[in-house]
Amino acid sequence: MNDRSVDFRVLHALRRRRSVPAHLRAYVCAMRLTRVREVLSMDVVDHLNAVRRGKLSRRAFNRALLGAGVGMLATPLTGRRAMAQSDEQGTIFTWGGYDIPELYTPYEAANGALPNFSIFGGTEEALTKIRGGFNPDVAHPCNAGLTRWVDSGMFAPLDTSRLSNWGDIMPELVALEGNDAGDGQPWLAPFDWGSTSITYRTDLFEVEGEESWSMLWDERYAGQLGSLASGGDAWWCGAIKAGVDFADIATDEAFEKIAAAMREQRPLIRVYTDDTTTLEQALAAGEIAAAMTWNSSAVTLASEDVPVRFAQPKEGALTWVCGLMILKDAPNPEKAYEIIDALLSVESGEFMINDYGYGHSNARSFDAFDDETLTSLGLSKKPSDILSAGHFQVPQTQEWETRMNETFEMIKAGF
């Protein structure tokens, strides 16, 4: 039996709240922990030394990391459904985990099939691929990159009159910086929102005083800390730790201050990865005591009775909104609007809140949950309560984004 197919069977059963046979759960757990330990036990010192001596190129070094499942863009461990791409269906270019039937119920009901899926590990990767000629119908960026995505000239304003769920979308999420395409139309339809913070094992990590970003710089836990590998999260969280105001994040002084904080943290980090499952399994196994994650990781672990908490740092969490954009030359524009409308539906929102612990842009999707449940997920029926309490990312230029990513990749590699 294929490891990946077994893994997906268990994940799908969990998502639908079905029972999972004990032998399958144990099998997947064993496979995942083996994989996590392989990732965490990688000896990269020799590779780093070889790079410094000029005997190994950085590209080859990155390839070695990728082959082990970590590094610059880790391959997701979650199961993917193998399916042929259909010219009759629209295509969405999205994050891993957003390619499951529960999010597209109205689309599937109307078309008798799901849309085509193409997966990216980070929005810079996604934008680069689109610039290189990839032409899906819908893409799924986040607010921090909105200006650069619009400036690429490859996207069309949204005709919200073609979206049946638009009247239920929270206006404060539409009013993102850079989201006004003129004539009352947005570039991006807000879809999911939430926080990046610290998920930690309450039985393994002793908090001194208040919860703080300093927890991920705590030398007591050197080698027991994890982090998301994307600068789109980690660099901004480093800015919060360094005390940099996001309004000043593009200045040279701020840049060097953040870089110094990230270099200080580097020896303490056991694993960087864009695969949240790797971080979750490492936390569940006790391999690491704390990690930078999205709120979904804490929800997932808590549902499996792992003693974790999603920290509320005294300095504030990193807050974000992601959404959906239509390609100017979308091959299937009608299907594009159907994909977006499905993702903006109440059904999609209830699944996102309940199963992923993310906020959703449809106000009616919160009606199924009481305030206590939402608070336990770090959410609120008023997104402004959450977004204003944290640090909301500010769109930056392509030059800044490139400099930030290149610098962070060097820091992760030990330079």
Coordinates of all heavy atoms in Angstrom, one line a residue, residues 190-281:
P190 N -11.3 39.0 -0.9 CA -10.8 38.4 0.4 C -11.5 37.1 0.7 O -12.7 36.9 0.5 CB -11.1 39.5 1.4 CG -12.3 40.2 0.9 CD -12.1 40.3 -0.6
F191 N -10.7 36.1 1.1 CA -11.2 34.8 1.3 C -10.9 34.3 2.7 O -11.8 34.1 3.6 CB -10.6 33.9 0.3 CG -10.8 32.4 0.5 CD1 -12.0 31.9 1.0 CD2 -9.7 31.5 0.4 CE1 -12.1 30.5 1.2 CE2 -9.8 30.2 0.6 CZ -11.0 29.6 1.0
D192 N -9.6 34.2 3.1 CA -9.2 33.6 4.4 C -8.4 34.7 5.1 O -7.7 35.4 4.5 CB -8.5 32.3 4.3 CG -7.4 32.3 3.3 OD1 -7.4 33.1 2.3 OD2 -6.4 31.6 3.5
W193 N -8.4 34.6 6.4 CA -7.6 35.6 7.2 C -7.2 34.9 8.6 O -7.9 34.0 9.0 CB -8.3 36.9 7.4 CG -9.7 36.8 8.0 CD1 -10.8 36.7 7.4 CD2 -10.0 37.0 9.4 NE1 -11.9 36.7 8.2 CE2 -11.4 36.8 9.5 CE3 -9.3 37.2 10.6 CZ2 -12.1 36.9 10.7 CZ3 -9.9 37.2 11.8 CH2 -11.3 37.1 11.8
G194 N -6.2 35.4 9.2 CA -5.8 34.8 10.4 C -4.5 35.4 10.9 O -4.1 36.6 10.6
S195 N -3.8 34.7 11.7 CA -2.6 35.1 12.4 C -1.4 34.2 12.2 O -1.6 33.0 12.1 CB -2.8 35.3 13.9 OG -3.9 36.2 14.1
T196 N -0.2 34.7 12.3 CA 1.0 33.9 12.4 C 1.5 34.2 13.8 O 1.7 35.4 14.2 CB 2.0 34.3 11.4 OG1 1.5 34.1 10.1 CG2 3.3 33.4 11.5
S197 N 1.8 33.2 14.6 CA 2.3 33.3 16.0 C 3.1 32.1 16.3 O 3.7 31.5 15.4 CB 1.1 33.6 16.9 OG 1.6 33.8 18.2
I198 N 3.1 31.8 17.6 CA 3.9 30.7 18.1 C 3.0 29.6 18.6 O 2.2 29.8 19.5 CB 4.9 31.1 19.2 CG1 5.7 32.3 18.7 CG2 5.7 30.0 19.7 CD1 6.2 33.2 19.9
T199 N 3.1 28.4 18.1 CA 2.4 27.2 18.7 C 3.5 26.5 19.6 O 4.5 26.2 19.1 CB 1.9 26.3 17.6 OG1 0.9 26.9 16.9 CG2 1.3 25.0 18.3
Y200 N 3.1 26.3 20.8 CA 4.1 25.7 21.7 C 3.5 24.6 22.6 O 2.3 24.6 22.9 CB 4.8 26.7 22.6 CG 4.0 27.4 23.6 CD1 4.0 27.0 24.9 CD2 3.3 28.6 23.3 CE1 3.2 27.7 25.9 CE2 2.5 29.3 24.2 CZ 2.5 28.8 25.5 OH 1.8 29.5 26.5
R201 N 4.3 23.6 23.0 CA 3.9 22.6 23.8 C 3.9 23.1 25.3 O 4.9 23.4 25.8 CB 4.9 21.4 23.7 CG 4.7 20.6 22.4 CD 3.5 19.6 22.5 NE 3.7 18.7 23.6 CZ 4.2 17.4 23.4 NH1 4.5 17.0 22.2 NH2 4.2 16.6 24.5
T202 N 2.7 23.1 25.9 CA 2.6 23.7 27.2 C 3.3 22.8 28.3 O 3.6 23.3 29.4 CB 1.1 23.8 27.6 OG1 0.4 22.6 27.4 CG2 0.4 24.9 26.7
D203 N 3.5 21.5 27.9 CA 4.2 20.6 28.8 C 5.7 20.6 28.6 O 6.5 20.0 29.4 CB 3.7 19.2 28.7 CG 3.8 18.6 27.3 OD1 3.9 19.4 26.3 OD2 3.9 17.4 27.1
L204 N 6.2 21.2 27.6 CA 7.6 21.2 27.2 C 8.3 22.6 27.3 O 9.5 22.7 27.5 CB 7.9 20.6 25.9 CG 7.4 19.2 25.6 CD1 7.7 18.7 24.2 CD2 8.1 18.2 26.6
F205 N 7.5 23.6 27.1 CA 8.0 25.0 27.0 C 7.6 25.8 28.2 O 6.4 25.9 28.4 CB 7.6 25.7 25.7 CG 8.4 26.9 25.4 CD1 9.4 26.9 24.4 CD2 8.2 28.1 26.1 CE1 10.1 28.0 24.1 CE2 9.0 29.2 25.9 CZ 9.9 29.2 24.9
E206 N 8.5 26.2 29.0 CA 8.2 27.0 30.2 C 8.2 28.5 29.8 O 9.3 29.0 29.5 CB 9.1 26.7 31.3 CG 8.8 27.5 32.6 CD 9.8 27.3 33.7 OE1 10.7 26.4 33.5 OE2 9.8 27.9 34.8
V207 N 7.1 29.2 29.8 CA 7.0 30.6 29.5 C 7.4 31.4 30.7 O 6.9 31.2 31.8 CB 5.6 31.0 29.1 CG1 5.5 32.5 28.7 CG2 5.1 30.2 27.9
E208 N 8.4 32.3 30.5 CA 8.8 33.2 31.6 C 8.1 34.5 31.4 O 8.4 35.3 30.4 CB 10.4 33.4 31.5 CG 11.1 32.1 31.8 CD 12.6 32.4 31.9 OE1 13.1 33.3 31.2 OE2 13.3 31.6 32.6
G209 N 7.2 34.8 32.3 CA 6.5 36.1 32.2 C 5.4 35.9 31.2 O 4.7 34.9 31.0
E210 N 5.2 37.0 30.4 CA 4.2 37.0 29.3 C 4.6 36.2 28.1 O 5.8 36.1 27.8 CB 3.8 38.4 29.0 CG 3.2 39.2 30.1 CD 2.9 40.6 29.6 OE1 1.8 40.8 28.9 OE2 3.7 41.6 29.8
E211 N 3.7 35.7 27.3 CA 4.0 35.2 26.0 C 4.6 36.3 25.1 O 4.1 37.4 25.1 CB 2.8 34.6 25.3 CG 2.2 33.4 26.1 CD 0.9 32.9 25.5 OE1 0.2 33.7 24.9 OE2 0.6 31.7 25.7
S212 N 5.6 35.9 24.4 CA 6.4 36.9 23.7 C 7.1 36.3 22.5 O 7.3 35.1 22.5 CB 7.4 37.6 24.6 OG 8.4 38.3 23.8
W213 N 7.4 37.1 21.5 CA 8.2 36.6 20.3 C 9.6 36.1 20.8 O 10.2 35.3 20.1 CB 8.3 37.6 19.2 CG 7.0 37.7 18.4 CD1 6.1 38.7 18.4 CD2 6.6 36.7 17.5 NE1 5.1 38.4 17.6 CE2 5.4 37.2 16.9 CE3 7.1 35.5 17.0 CZ2 4.6 36.5 16.0 CZ3 6.4 34.8 16.0 CH2 5.2 35.3 15.5
S214 N 10.0 36.6 21.9 CA 11.3 36.1 22.5 C 11.3 34.6 22.7 O 12.4 34.0 22.8 CB 11.6 36.9 23.8 OG 11.8 38.3 23.5
M215 N 10.2 34.0 22.8 CA 10.1 32.5 23.0 C 10.9 31.8 21.9 O 11.5 30.8 22.1 CB 8.7 32.1 23.0 CG 7.9 32.6 24.3 SD 6.1 32.4 24.1 CE 6.0 30.6 24.1
L216 N 10.8 32.4 20.7 CA 11.5 31.7 19.5 C 13.0 32.2 19.4 O 13.7 31.8 18.5 CB 10.8 32.0 18.2 CG 9.5 31.3 18.0 CD1 8.9 31.6 16.7 CD2 9.6 29.8 18.2
W217 N 13.4 32.9 20.4 CA 14.8 33.3 20.5 C 15.4 32.8 21.9 O 16.5 33.3 22.3 CB 15.0 34.8 20.4 CG 15.1 35.3 19.0 CD1 16.2 35.7 18.4 CD2 14.0 35.6 18.1 NE1 15.9 36.2 17.1 CE2 14.6 36.1 16.9 CE3 12.6 35.4 18.1 CZ2 13.8 36.4 15.8 CZ3 11.9 35.7 17.0 CH2 12.5 36.2 15.8
D218 N 14.7 31.9 22.5 CA 15.1 31.5 23.9 C 16.2 30.4 23.8 O 15.9 29.3 23.3 CB 13.8 30.9 24.6 CG 14.0 30.7 26.1 OD1 15.2 30.5 26.5 OD2 13.0 30.8 26.8
E219 N 17.3 30.8 24.3 CA 18.5 29.9 24.2 C 18.3 28.6 25.0 O 19.0 27.6 24.7 CB 19.8 30.6 24.6 CG 20.1 31.7 23.6 CD 21.4 32.4 23.9 OE1 22.0 32.0 25.0 OE2 21.9 33.3 23.2
R220 N 17.4 28.6 25.9 CA 17.1 27.4 26.7 C 16.6 26.2 25.8 O 16.8 25.1 26.1 CB 16.1 27.6 27.8 CG 16.5 28.6 28.9 CD 15.4 28.8 29.9 NE 14.2 29.3 29.2 CZ 13.0 29.2 29.7 NH1 12.8 28.7 30.9 NH2 11.9 29.8 29.1
Y221 N 16.1 26.6 24.7 CA 15.4 25.7 23.8 C 16.2 25.6 22.4 O 15.6 25.3 21.4 CB 14.0 26.0 23.6 CG 13.2 25.9 24.9 CD1 13.0 27.1 25.6 CD2 12.8 24.7 25.4 CE1 12.3 27.0 26.9 CE2 12.1 24.6 26.6 CZ 11.9 25.8 27.4 OH 11.2 25.7 28.6
A222 N 17.5 25.8 22.5 CA 18.3 25.7 21.2 C 18.1 24.3 20.7 O 18.2 23.3 21.4 CB 19.7 26.0 21.5
G223 N 17.9 24.2 19.4 CA 17.7 22.9 18.7 C 16.3 22.3 18.9 O 16.0 21.2 18.4
Q224 N 15.4 23.1 19.6 CA 14.1 22.6 19.9 C 13.0 23.5 19.3 O 11.9 23.5 19.8 CB 13.8 22.3 21.4 CG 14.8 21.3 22.0 CD 14.5 21.2 23.5 OE1 13.4 20.9 24.0 NE2 15.5 21.6 24.3
L225 N 13.4 24.4 18.4 CA 12.5 25.4 17.9 C 12.4 25.2 16.3 O 13.3 24.7 15.7 CB 13.0 26.8 18.1 CG 13.3 27.1 19.6 CD1 14.0 28.5 19.8 CD2 12.0 27.1 20.4
G226 N 11.2 25.5 15.8 CA 11.0 25.4 14.4 C 10.4 26.7 13.9 O 9.9 27.6 14.6
S227 N 10.4 26.9 12.5 CA 9.9 28.1 11.9 C 9.4 27.8 10.5 O 10.0 27.0 9.8 CB 11.0 29.1 11.9 OG 10.6 30.3 11.2
L228 N 8.4 28.6 10.1 CA 8.1 28.6 8.7 C 9.3 29.2 7.9 O 10.0 30.1 8.4 CB 6.9 29.6 8.5 CG 5.5 29.1 9.1 CD1 4.5 30.2 9.1 CD2 5.0 27.8 8.4
A229 N 9.5 28.6 6.7 CA 10.7 28.9 5.9 C 10.5 30.2 5.1 O 11.5 30.7 4.6 CB 11.0 27.7 5.0
S230 N 9.3 30.6 4.9 CA 9.0 31.8 4.0 C 9.3 33.1 4.7 O 8.9 33.3 5.8 CB 7.6 31.8 3.6 OG 7.2 33.0 2.9
G231 N 10.1 33.9 4.0 CA 10.3 35.3 4.5 C 9.0 36.1 4.7 O 9.0 37.0 5.5
G232 N 8.0 35.7 3.9 CA 6.7 36.4 4.0 C 6.1 36.3 5.3 O 5.2 37.1 5.7
D233 N 6.5 35.3 6.1 CA 6.1 35.2 7.5 C 7.3 35.5 8.4 O 7.2 36.4 9.3 CB 5.6 33.8 7.8 CG 4.2 33.5 7.3 OD1 3.3 34.0 7.9 OD2 4.1 32.7 6.3
A234 N 8.4 34.8 8.3 CA 9.5 34.8 9.3 C 10.1 36.2 9.4 O 10.4 36.7 10.5 CB 10.5 33.8 8.9
W235 N 10.3 36.9 8.2 CA 11.0 38.2 8.3 C 10.1 39.2 9.0 O 10.6 40.0 9.8 CB 11.3 38.6 6.8 CG 12.2 39.8 6.8 CD1 11.8 41.1 6.7 CD2 13.6 39.8 6.8 NE1 12.9 42.0 6.7 CE2 14.0 41.2 6.7 CE3 14.6 38.8 6.8 CZ2 15.4 41.6 6.6 CZ3 15.9 39.2 6.7 CH2 16.3 40.5 6.7
W236 N 8.8 39.1 8.7 CA 7.9 40.1 9.4 C 7.8 39.8 10.9 O 7.7 40.7 11.7 CB 6.6 40.0 8.7 CG 6.6 40.5 7.3 CD1 7.0 39.9 6.2 CD2 6.2 41.9 6.9 NE1 6.9 40.7 5.1 CE2 6.4 41.9 5.5 CE3 5.7 43.0 7.5 CZ2 6.1 43.0 4.7 CZ3 5.4 44.1 6.7 CH2 5.6 44.1 5.4
C237 N 7.8 38.5 11.2 CA 7.8 38.2 12.7 C 9.1 38.7 13.3 O 9.1 39.1 14.5 CB 7.6 36.7 12.9 SG 5.9 36.2 12.4
G238 N 10.2 38.5 12.6 CA 11.5 39.0 13.1 C 11.5 40.5 13.3 O 12.1 41.1 14.2
A239 N 10.7 41.2 12.4 CA 10.6 42.7 12.6 C 9.8 43.0 13.9 O 10.2 44.0 14.6 CB 9.8 43.3 11.4
I240 N 8.8 42.2 14.2 CA 8.1 42.5 15.4 C 9.0 42.3 16.6 O 9.1 43.1 17.6 CB 6.9 41.5 15.6 CG1 5.9 41.8 14.4 CG2 6.2 41.8 16.9 CD1 4.8 40.8 14.3
K241 N 9.8 41.2 16.6 CA 10.7 40.9 17.7 C 11.8 42.0 17.8 O 12.2 42.4 18.9 CB 11.4 39.5 17.4 CG 12.7 39.2 18.2 CD 12.4 39.1 19.7 CE 13.5 38.6 20.5 NZ 14.7 39.5 20.5
A242 N 12.2 42.5 16.7 CA 13.3 43.5 16.7 C 12.7 44.9 17.0 O 13.5 45.9 17.1 CB 14.0 43.6 15.3
G243 N 11.4 45.0 17.2 CA 10.8 46.3 17.5 C 10.7 47.3 16.3 O 10.6 48.5 16.5
V244 N 10.7 46.7 15.1 CA 10.6 47.6 13.9 C 9.1 47.9 13.6 O 8.3 46.9 13.5 CB 11.2 46.9 12.7 CG1 11.0 47.6 11.4 CG2 12.7 46.8 13.0
D245 N 8.8 49.1 13.4 CA 7.4 49.5 13.0 C 7.3 49.1 11.5 O 8.1 49.4 10.7 CB 7.2 51.0 13.2 CG 5.8 51.4 13.0 OD1 5.2 51.1 12.0 OD2 5.2 52.1 13.9
F246 N 6.2 48.5 11.2 CA 6.0 48.0 9.8 C 6.0 49.2 8.8 O 6.3 49.0 7.7 CB 4.7 47.2 9.7 CG 4.8 45.8 10.1 CD1 5.9 45.4 10.8 CD2 3.8 44.9 9.9 CE1 6.0 44.1 11.3 CE2 3.8 43.6 10.4 CZ 5.0 43.2 11.0
A247 N 5.6 50.4 9.3 CA 5.7 51.6 8.4 C 7.1 51.9 8.0 O 7.3 52.6 7.0 CB 5.0 52.8 9.2
D248 N 8.1 51.4 8.8 CA 9.5 51.7 8.5 C 10.3 50.5 8.0 O 11.5 50.6 7.9 CB 10.2 52.2 9.8 CG 9.5 53.5 10.4 OD1 9.1 54.3 9.6 OD2 9.4 53.6 11.6
I249 N 9.6 49.4 7.7 CA 10.2 48.2 7.5 C 11.1 48.2 6.2 O 12.1 47.4 6.1 CB 9.2 47.0 7.4 CG1 9.9 45.7 7.6 CG2 8.5 47.1 6.1 CD1 8.9 44.5 7.7
A250 N 10.9 49.1 5.3 CA 11.6 49.2 4.1 C 12.9 50.0 4.2 O 13.7 50.0 3.3 CB 10.8 49.8 2.9
T251 N 13.2 50.6 5.3 CA 14.4 51.4 5.5 C 15.6 50.5 5.7 O 15.5 49.4 6.2 CB 14.2 52.4 6.7 OG1 14.2 51.6 7.9 CG2 13.0 53.3 6.6
D252 N 16.8 51.1 5.3 CA 18.0 50.3 5.5 C 18.3 50.0 6.9 O 18.7 48.9 7.3 CB 19.2 51.1 4.9 CG 19.2 51.1 3.4 OD1 18.5 50.2 2.8 OD2 19.8 52.0 2.8
E253 N 18.0 50.9 7.8 CA 18.2 50.7 9.2 C 17.4 49.6 9.8 O 17.8 48.7 10.5 CB 17.9 52.0 10.0 CG 18.1 51.9 11.5 CD 17.7 53.1 12.3 OE1 17.3 54.1 11.6 OE2 17.8 53.1 13.5
A254 N 16.1 49.5 9.4 CA 15.2 48.5 9.8 C 15.7 47.1 9.2 O 15.6 46.1 9.9 CB 13.8 48.8 9.4
F255 N 16.1 47.2 7.9 CA 16.5 45.9 7.3 C 17.6 45.3 8.0 O 17.6 44.1 8.3 CB 16.9 46.2 5.8 CG 17.0 45.0 4.9 CD1 15.9 44.6 4.2 CD2 18.2 44.3 4.9 CE1 16.0 43.5 3.4 CE2 18.3 43.2 4.1 CZ 17.2 42.8 3.3
E256 N 18.6 46.1 8.4 CA 19.8 45.5 9.1 C 19.4 45.0 10.5 O 20.0 44.1 11.0 CB 20.9 46.6 9.1 CG 21.5 46.9 7.8 CD 22.0 45.7 7.0 OE1 22.5 44.7 7.6 OE2 21.8 45.6 5.8
K257 N 18.5 45.7 11.1 CA 18.1 45.4 12.5 C 17.4 44.0 12.4 O 17.6 43.2 13.3 CB 17.2 46.5 13.0 CG 16.9 46.4 14.5 CD 16.1 47.6 15.0 CE 15.9 47.5 16.5 NZ 15.1 48.7 17.0
I258 N 16.5 43.8 11.4 CA 15.8 42.6 11.3 C 16.7 41.4 10.9 O 16.7 40.3 11.5 CB 14.7 42.7 10.2 CG1 13.6 43.7 10.6 CG2 14.0 41.3 10.1 CD1 12.7 44.1 9.5
A259 N 17.7 41.7 10.0 CA 18.6 40.7 9.6 C 19.5 40.2 10.8 O 19.7 39.0 11.0 CB 19.5 41.2 8.5
A260 N 19.8 41.2 11.7 CA 20.6 40.8 12.9 C 19.8 39.9 13.8 O 20.3 38.9 14.4 CB 21.0 42.1 13.6
A261 N 18.5 40.2 13.9 CA 17.6 39.4 14.8 C 17.5 38.0 14.2 O 17.5 37.0 14.9 CB 16.3 40.0 14.9
M262 N 17.4 37.9 12.9 CA 17.2 36.5 12.2 C 18.5 35.7 12.3 O 18.5 34.5 12.5 CB 16.8 36.7 10.8 CG 15.5 37.5 10.6 SD 14.1 37.0 11.6 CE 13.8 35.4 10.9
R263 N 19.7 36.4 12.2 CA 21.0 35.7 12.4 C 21.1 35.2 13.8 O 21.7 34.2 14.1 CB 22.1 36.6 12.0 CG 22.2 36.8 10.5 CD 23.5 37.5 10.0 NE 23.6 37.5 8.6 CZ 23.2 38.6 7.9 NH1 22.8 39.7 8.5 NH2 23.3 38.6 6.5
E264 N 20.7 36.0 14.8 CA 20.7 35.6 16.2 C 19.9 34.4 16.4 O 20.2 33.5 17.2 CB 20.2 36.8 17.1 CG 20.2 36.5 18.5 CD 19.6 37.6 19.4 OE1 19.2 38.6 18.8 OE2 19.3 37.3 20.6
Q265 N 18.8 34.3 15.7 CA 17.9 33.2 15.9 C 18.3 31.9 15.2 O 18.1 30.8 15.7 CB 16.5 33.5 15.4 CG 15.4 32.5 15.6 CD 14.1 32.7 14.8 OE1 14.2 33.0 13.6 NE2 13.0 32.7 15.5
R266 N 19.1 32.0 14.1 CA 19.4 30.9 13.2 C 20.0 29.7 14.0 O 19.5 28.5 13.7 CB 20.3 31.4 12.1 CG 20.8 30.2 11.2 CD 19.6 29.6 10.5 NE 20.0 28.4 9.8 CZ 19.9 27.2 10.2 NH1 19.5 27.0 11.5 NH2 20.2 26.1 9.5
P267 N 20.9 29.8 14.9 CA 21.5 28.7 15.6 C 20.5 27.9 16.5 O 20.8 26.8 16.8 CB 22.7 29.2 16.4 CG 22.9 30.6 15.8 CD 21.6 31.1 15.3
L268 N 19.4 28.6 16.8 CA 18.5 27.9 17.7 C 17.4 27.1 17.0 O 16.8 26.3 17.6 CB 17.8 29.0 18.5 CG 18.6 30.1 19.2 CD1 17.7 31.1 19.9 CD2 19.6 29.4 20.2
I269 N 17.3 27.3 15.7 CA 16.2 26.7 14.9 C 16.6 25.3 14.4 O 17.7 25.2 13.8 CB 15.8 27.6 13.7 CG1 15.3 28.9 14.1 CG2 14.8 26.9 12.8 CD1 14.0 28.9 14.9
R270 N 15.8 24.4 14.7 CA 16.1 23.0 14.3 C 15.6 22.7 12.9 O 16.2 21.9 12.2 CB 15.4 22.0 15.3 CG 15.9 20.6 15.1 CD 15.5 19.7 16.2 NE 16.0 18.4 16.1 CZ 15.8 17.4 17.0 NH1 15.2 17.7 18.1 NH2 16.3 16.2 16.8
V271 N 14.5 23.3 12.5 CA 14.0 23.1 11.2 C 13.2 24.3 10.6 O 12.4 24.9 11.4 CB 13.0 21.8 11.1 CG1 11.8 22.0 12.0 CG2 12.6 21.5 9.7
Y272 N 13.5 24.7 9.4 CA 12.7 25.6 8.6 C 12.0 24.8 7.6 O 12.5 24.0 6.9 CB 13.6 26.6 7.9 CG 14.3 27.6 8.7 CD1 15.7 27.5 9.0 CD2 13.7 28.8 9.2 CE1 16.4 28.4 9.7 CE2 14.4 29.7 10.0 CZ 15.7 29.5 10.2 OH 16.4 30.5 10.9
T273 N 10.7 25.1 7.4 CA 9.9 24.4 6.4 C 8.7 25.1 6.1 O 8.1 25.8 6.9 CB 9.6 22.9 6.9 OG1 8.8 22.3 5.9 CG2 8.8 23.0 8.2
D274 N 8.2 25.0 4.8 CA 7.0 25.6 4.4 C 5.9 24.6 4.5 O 4.7 24.8 4.1 CB 7.0 26.1 2.9 CG 7.7 27.5 2.9 OD1 7.4 28.3 3.7 OD2 8.5 27.7 2.0
D275 N 6.2 23.3 4.9 CA 5.2 22.3 5.1 C 4.8 22.3 6.6 O 5.5 21.9 7.5 CB 5.8 20.9 4.8 CG 4.9 19.8 5.1 OD1 3.7 20.0 5.2 OD2 5.4 18.7 5.3
T276 N 3.6 22.9 6.8 CA 3.1 23.0 8.2 C 2.9 21.6 8.9 O 3.1 21.5 10.1 CB 1.8 23.8 8.3 OG1 0.8 23.1 7.4 CG2 2.0 25.2 7.8
T277 N 2.7 20.6 8.1 CA 2.5 19.2 8.7 C 3.8 18.8 9.3 O 3.8 18.1 10.4 CB 2.1 18.2 7.6 OG1 0.9 18.7 7.0 CG2 1.9 16.9 8.2
T278 N 5.0 19.1 8.8 CA 6.3 18.8 9.4 C 6.4 19.4 10.7 O 6.8 18.8 11.7 CB 7.4 19.2 8.5 OG1 7.4 18.5 7.2 CG2 8.8 19.0 9.1
L279 N 6.0 20.7 10.9 CA 6.1 21.4 12.2 C 5.1 20.7 13.1 O 5.4 20.5 14.3 CB 5.8 22.9 12.0 CG 6.8 23.7 11.2 CD1 6.3 25.1 11.0 CD2 8.2 23.7 11.9
E280 N 3.9 20.4 12.7 CA 2.9 19.8 13.5 C 3.3 18.5 14.1 O 3.2 18.2 15.3 CB 1.6 19.7 12.8 CG 0.9 21.1 12.5 CD -0.1 21.0 11.4 OE1 -0.5 19.9 11.0 OE2 -0.5 22.1 10.9
Q281 N 3.9 17.7 13.2 CA 4.3 16.3 13.6 C 5.5 16.4 14.5 O 5.6 15.6 15.5 CB 4.6 15.5 12.4 CG 3.4 15.1 11.6 CD 2.4 14.3 12.4 OE1 2.7 13.4 13.1 NE2 1.1 14.6 12.2

